[in-house]
């Protein structure tokens, strides 16, 4: 989608530090990491937010969870534990309008968040 930051990262028009890629999703390091490991996992299909998920496109979410576990092992945070977060909408803290999941780990993460 034109004018979408993450679509431009998928198209490699904007550089990113990629840690995993397959035909359906891309994972790259967050530019402003909030934990020792902070990776964003995004579908290659432009989906604006979790509100746009439906029975026809939601398979990607299961795929992203499987990829997240793979990256957690790759990054050495699987045993210590990690958090997989989706921010949706203004109150949820979503700032980029392309569905993404934050994979955070490498330190003890507080709860409740923000
Ligand atoms: P959210 O606030 O949930 O929408 O998350 C958007 C995330 O994208 C933030 O954590 C930003 O630090 C991150 N971000 C923004 N621009 C870039 C970029 N060019 N490369 C990597 N991460 C980015
Ligand atoms: Zn997009």
């Amino acid at each position: 989608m034109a004018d979408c930051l993450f679509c431009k990262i998928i198209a490699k028009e904007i550089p990113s530090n990629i840690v995993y890629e397959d035909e359906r999703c891309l994972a790259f390091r967050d530019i402003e990491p909030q934990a020792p490991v902070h990776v964003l996992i995004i579908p290659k299909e432009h989906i604006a937010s979790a509100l746009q998920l439906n029975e026809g496109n939601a398979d990607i979410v299961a795929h992203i969870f499987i990829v997240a576990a793979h990256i957690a092992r790759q990054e050495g945070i699987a045993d210590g534990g990690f958090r997989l977060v989706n921010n949706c909408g203004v109150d949820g803290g979503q700032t980029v309008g392309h569905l993404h999941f934050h994979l955070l780990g490498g330190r003890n993460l507080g709860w409740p968040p923000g």
Side-chain angles (χ1 to χ4, degrees), residues 12-97:
K12 315 275 166 70
E13 291 166 21
I14 292 175
S16 68
N17 191 341
I18 294 171
V19 299
Y20 175 91
E21 180 169 16
D22 65 25
E23 66 284 353
R24 288 195 281 167
C25 71
L26 181 73
F28 52 96
R29 298 197 191 280
D30 197 293
I31 205 167
E32 229 177 285
Q34 302 300 315
V37 175
H38 188 171
V39 170
L40 298 173
I41 311 171
I42 68 175
K44 288 192 171 175
E45 177 188 357
H46 180 87
I47 298 171
S49 82
L51 280 175
Q52 273 66 51
L53 289 166
N54 56 56
E55 293 297 342
N57 65 10
D59 283 2
I60 188 63
V61 178
H63 181 65
I64 284 174
F65 269 71
I66 293 164
V67 166
H70 169 79
I71 296 169
R73 290 188 199 98
Q74 186 176 279
E75 295 286 324
I77 58 169
D79 291 342
F82 57 87
R83 189 170 292 163
L84 193 57
V85 181
N86 168 251
N87 296 329
C88 184
V90 175
D91 282 355
Q94 184 176 5
T95 60
V96 178

